[in-house]
Amino acid sequence: MTQKQPKDTSGLQLWQWRTKAIAASIAADVPPAEVDWLLQEVAGLDRLALRLELFKDWPQIQLQLSLEELEALWQKRLDQRLPVQYITRVTPWRQFKVVVSPAVLIPRPETECLIDLAVAAVGKSQKNSRLEQGHWADLGTGSGAIALGLADAFREATIHAVDCSEAALLIAQQNAQNYGFGDRIHFYRGSWWEPLESLKGQFSGMVSNPPYIPTTLVSELQPEVMNHEPQLALDGGADGLACIRHLIETSSTYLRSGGVWLVEMMAGQADAVREMLEAQGGYDNIEIHTDLAGIERFALAKKL
C-alpha cells in the first residue's frame, strides 16, 4: 500500500466500521478475519486489541487512509473479489512480510514447505557435497518469496531468481532489499534456466513453484484468483504439466551431481511427475511429499 499522510479517527468510529465490515463480509461469503488483517496493516492494531476490542475507547487512532477510503477498498474486496493481500500490498510468508501486487502470484502457506524440504534434502546429502553453499535457483520467482526463504536458510549460498515478468522482478527485488538480501539474490529476466546458461552444471539446487493448473481449469478457479492473479503464473498448459515437464528435461544439465530438484505441483499430478523424472534418466532419490493437508504437493529428486 502506498504511503499516505496518516488520517486520524476515533476508536469508536473504527469499531463501528469494523462491525459493519464483518457483517458485510459474512453476507458476501468472505472470511471475516480479513477485516482484522486489513486493520492490522492500515491502523497498526495488533490481534489482541482487535479480538478484545480494546481500541473501541481510544480517543485517536492513526490510519494510513481515511475511513471513506478504507470503506471503498473493502467494497472492492466484496464486490470485485479483489484479494485482501492486494489491498494491503503485503502478505505474511514464513517469517517475512512479503510485498505483493497484481503482477505476482500471492505466496501460499503450503509453498512455505518448499524451504523446509530443501533444507532437509541438504541435511541428508553427503557431508562433502556442501549443497548449502554455491548456487541455488528460484525459477519463476514471482514475488521472490522462495528466493527469500532460500537466502535465509542457506547463508553461504548465492540465489539466482528468474522470472519472465519485469513487473514481478521489481516486486521481488524490493522484497530482497527489504530483508537485506540484495547482495545475495541475483535477479534475471527470462525463461526458466535460459539466463543462467553460463552456470551450467554448477547449481547445488533448484526450487520452483511453476504454473501447474490445466488451461481448462483456470476459468473454474475462485474469482479472487482467476480475475486478479497473473494468468501467466497459473496456466500450466493442456495437462498442467508443461512447465514441470520443461524443468525435468532441462534441469539435469544445470545441476551438479547430487544437486536438488524440487517443485510444487497440483493435487493428482504426483504419479505423472514421478514417471517423467524416472524416464528422463538424470535423477535418482525421487520423493513425493505432502503438504499440511495431506495432499501430494511436492516432488523432490537428486541429480545423478
Side-chain angles (χ1 to χ4, degrees):
M1 185 174 295
T2 54
Q3 291 294 324
K4 298 183 179 181
Q5 283 295 107
K7 311 288 177 68
D8 290 340
T9 190
S10 70
L12 179 60
Q13 287 176 307
L14 193 60
W15 175 82
Q16 291 170 333
W17 180 86
R18 176 178 179 265
T19 302
K20 291 178 183 177
I22 288 175
S25 71
I26 293 170
D29 198 25
V30 167
E34 291 188 7
V35 176
D36 285 355
W37 184 355
L38 182 56
L39 289 178
Q40 286 178 61
E41 294 301 326
V42 304
L45 298 173
D46 60 35
R47 292 178 183 177
L48 185 64
L50 287 161
R51 189 171 76 246
L52 301 181
E53 300 184 342
L54 302 176
F55 65 93
K56 183 179 179 181
D57 297 323
W58 296 355
Q60 182 176 300
I61 297 174
Q62 279 198 341
L63 300 180
Q64 292 181 18
L65 65 177
S66 68
L67 275 178
E68 291 76 14
E69 291 169 321
L70 183 62
E71 174 61 20
L73 285 173
W74 189 243
Q75 283 304 314
K76 281 189 175 182
R77 174 70 188 102
L78 302 180
D79 299 337
Q80 301 175 24
R81 280 338 216 214
L82 179 68
V84 70
Q85 295 93 332
Y86 290 155
I87 294 175
T88 62
R89 295 286 173 169
V90 293
T91 191
W93 197 83
R94 291 182 74 84
Q95 73 269 38
F96 306 109
K97 185 178 281 189
V98 177
V99 175
V100 294
S101 83
V104 301
L105 200 69
I106 297 165
R108 270 43 174 195
E110 59 266 25
T111 304
E112 297 181 13
C113 297
L114 283 171
I115 306 304
D116 299 318
L117 289 169
V119 170
V122 166
K124 289 193 291 186
S125 65
Q126 295 188 6
K127 296 296 182 183
N128 61 2
S129 63
R130 305 296 290 169
L131 289 178
E132 71 274 16
Q133 299 178 344
H135 302 287
W136 279 76
D138 171 17
L139 302 182
T141 193
S143 66
I146 290 173
L148 291 181
L150 291 172
D152 180 66
F154 303 135
R155 295 301 178 110
E156 298 178 68
T158 299
I159 315 301
H160 303 268
V162 179
D163 205 286
C164 61
S165 166
E166 187 67 34
L169 286 171
L170 290 173
I171 295 290
Q173 286 173 314
Q174 182 180 348
N175 282 315
Q177 293 292 340
N178 286 349
Y179 286 97
F181 293 135
D183 293 336
R184 289 186 44 231
I185 303 177
H186 301 166
F187 295 93
Y188 310 81
R189 185 178 184 186
S191 177
W192 306 117
W193 285 108
E194 286 176 4
L196 306 175
E197 192 162 357
S198 64
L199 294 170
K200 260 187 178 179
Q202 298 181 46
F203 281 86
S204 296
M206 177 226 77
V207 182
S208 182
N209 179 18
Y212 51 67
I213 308 295
T215 302
T216 55
L217 296 183
V218 172
S219 62
E220 299 177 15
L221 296 171
Q222 291 177 305
E224 285 86 347
V225 178
M226 183 185 68
N227 296 336
H228 298 286
E229 299 203 55
Q231 297 287 300
L232 196 62
L234 298 168
D235 192 335
D239 62 357
L241 294 168
C243 299
I244 294 176
R245 187 177 291 112
H246 176 78
L247 291 174
I248 289 172
E249 292 170 354
T250 57
S251 297
S252 63
T253 59
Y254 286 85
L255 294 169
R256 63 188 183 90
S257 180
V260 175
W261 185 94
L262 176 58
V263 301
E264 181 173 325
M265 59 193 170
M266 181 179 169
Q269 294 177 338
D271 289 344
V273 172
R274 182 195 292 275
E275 289 172 11
M276 287 190 290
L277 284 165
E278 291 172 346
Q280 201 278 339
Y283 307 92
D284 65 358
N285 296 313
I286 299 166
E287 301 173 356
I288 302 299
H289 293 271
T290 59
D291 61 17
L292 296 177
I295 296 169
E296 293 184 325
R297 179 74 64 186
F298 311 102
L300 187 149
K302 296 285 186 70
K303 164 71 186 298
L304 281 168

